[in-house]
Amino acid sequence: MGRAELVGGNMSTQDPSEVWGRSDGGAELLQDLGWYHGNLTRHAAEALLLSNGHDGSYLLRDSNEQTGLYSLSVRAKDSVKHFHVEYTGYSFKFGFNEYSTLKDFVKHFANQPLIGSETGTLIVLKHPYPRKVEEPSIYESVRVHTAMQTGRTENDLVPTAPSLGTKEGYLTKQGGLVKTWKTRWFTLQRNELKYFKDQMSPEPIRILDLTECSAVQFDYSQERVNCFCLVFPFRTFYLCAKTGVEADEWIKILRWKLSKIRKQLDQGEDTVRARSFIFK
């Protein structure tokens, strides 16, 4: 999750008094804030903002990390960024600023602030996404209804959705021996980063095991923009995305993967130490 740096916000068709709600008290009045979405998940927030929001749309929701911590989810073009908002019991902290009341916090957003993430993305907060949206009562009539498979039961109805820990897309990769650049199709699943000749290729050219990766970082040593690198013991892989936002998304999800891997390794080491202590 990003750390916001404040540099300086209504779905534009809504009455501002409805969007901002009452704002004359502390954290208990967050329920009255029109763009506070309570326990909305990160996945659902991204789906809402990408499908119905605009560049600069945002909403406030509970963080799943700890009590008193909230998440400001912001649409930045074709991606969604998430920033921490902390309620200390006395004030709201966001970025480098602190607000003694919810009223002051909301007033700041009413002036459409510009925020910059630690990776350099700049976003103007323009459109608070309302919690209550009028839905049209329009339904289609069923004209065709037939079973495509038979013999299946309710146990076969397993809901699925794309995991937030997966990603795919084209990146330009520098060769190992011959330092030429070629566009390849990359997929990230579990702890494996695979790259293919193109999206239609059935077999990957190579599979990189992220448990062996020591770092993922922006790279400015190449004569290209939007580049980042993955550091392995045997080689450093240099990759470039089409846009800075896309490079930022790849770096963040890869770093998230590495942090999970390290946490699992640390837990494994703790278990081994505990067992060795018991049997001593």
Side-chain angles (χ1 to χ4, degrees):
M1 186 170 296
R3 183 187 65 194
E5 298 179 13
L6 298 184
V7 185
N10 125 32
M11 298 298 273
S12 56
T13 58
Q14 293 234 344
D15 182 347
S17 64
E18 294 177 356
V19 172
W20 301 115
R22 289 189 291 134
S23 55
D24 54 354
E28 67 273 14
L29 292 182
L30 275 176
Q31 296 294 342
D32 299 314
L33 196 60
W35 43 280
Y36 171 59
H37 288 245
N39 61 354
L40 187 75
T41 65
R42 181 188 182 107
H43 199 155
E46 293 185 356
L48 275 179
L49 293 173
L50 288 173
S51 61
N52 295 329
H54 311 282
D55 187 24
S57 292
Y58 62 92
L59 58 86
L60 187 67
R61 59 185 178 83
D62 296 340
S63 172
N64 60 359
E65 295 183 3
Q66 66 185 61
T67 303
L69 199 60
Y70 302 90
S71 295
L72 184 75
S73 299
V74 186
R75 176 166 174 176
K77 295 184 179 178
D78 295 326
S79 64
V80 176
K81 309 292 184 185
H82 304 272
F83 303 93
H84 275 151
V85 176
E86 181 184 2
Y87 180 64
T88 65
Y90 304 95
S91 63
F92 290 88
K93 289 184 176 181
F94 178 62
F96 299 126
N97 289 16
E98 189 169 354
Y99 307 90
S100 57
T101 66
L102 181 59
K103 182 176 181 180
D104 292 336
F105 178 69
V106 172
K107 184 178 179 181
H108 173 76
F109 280 82
N111 287 284
Q112 296 191 354
L114 171 70
I115 64 172
S117 71
E118 57 194 353
T119 53
T121 302
L122 295 175
I123 316 164
V124 178
L125 303 181
K126 294 182 287 188
H127 311 293
Y129 192 94
R131 182 172 62 251
K132 296 181 179 179
V133 179
E134 184 178 356
E135 299 180 13
S137 55
I138 301 172
Y139 296 88
E140 297 287 333
S141 298
V142 176
R143 298 302 184 197
V144 177
H145 186 193
T146 183
M148 302 301 292
Q149 294 190 37
T150 59
R152 293 164 66 89
T153 69
E154 65 274 12
N155 294 329
D156 297 306
L157 296 176
V158 181
T160 60
S163 169
L164 294 178
T166 64
K167 188 171 177 61
E168 59 184 22
Y170 280 105
L171 294 170
T172 304
K173 185 186 76 69
Q174 187 186 64
L177 297 176
V178 181
K179 303 300 182 182
T180 55
W181 293 85
K182 293 184 179 180
T183 300
R184 299 298 187 213
W185 178 257
F186 282 77
T187 65
L188 174 63
Q189 291 183 329
R190 298 183 179 87
N191 294 334
E192 294 181 339
L193 180 65
K194 304 177 183 179
Y195 60 89
F196 303 75
K197 182 178 180 181
D198 54 47
Q199 189 175 359
M200 304 306 295
S201 298
E203 297 296 328
I205 297 173
R206 187 165 188 170
I207 301 175
L208 299 177
D209 184 354
L210 293 179
T211 62
E212 300 177 3
C213 182
S214 60
V216 179
Q217 58 199 29
F218 275 104
D219 181 81
Y220 304 99
S221 65
Q222 309 301 314
E223 294 182 356
R224 288 171 174 260
V225 295
N226 310 321
C227 288
F228 59 98
C229 64
L230 285 76
V231 181
F232 288 83
F234 54 89
R235 177 181 164 188
T236 297
F237 290 82
Y238 295 94
L239 308 172
C240 294
K242 287 185 178 180
T243 66
V245 170
E246 190 177 351
D248 181 24
E249 291 297 318
W250 275 104
I251 290 172
K252 283 195 170 181
I253 195 167
L254 285 166
R255 284 178 173 172
W256 178 70
K257 286 282 189 183
L258 294 189
S259 67
K260 287 194 67 177
I261 291 170
R262 287 169 186 151
K263 187 178 294 184
Q264 290 169 355
L265 291 175
D266 290 343
Q267 290 173 347
E269 291 175 358
D270 290 342
T271 301
V272 171
R273 283 195 292 267
R275 287 176 178 172
S276 64
F277 178 79
I278 292 171
F279 289 105
K280 277 184 178 179

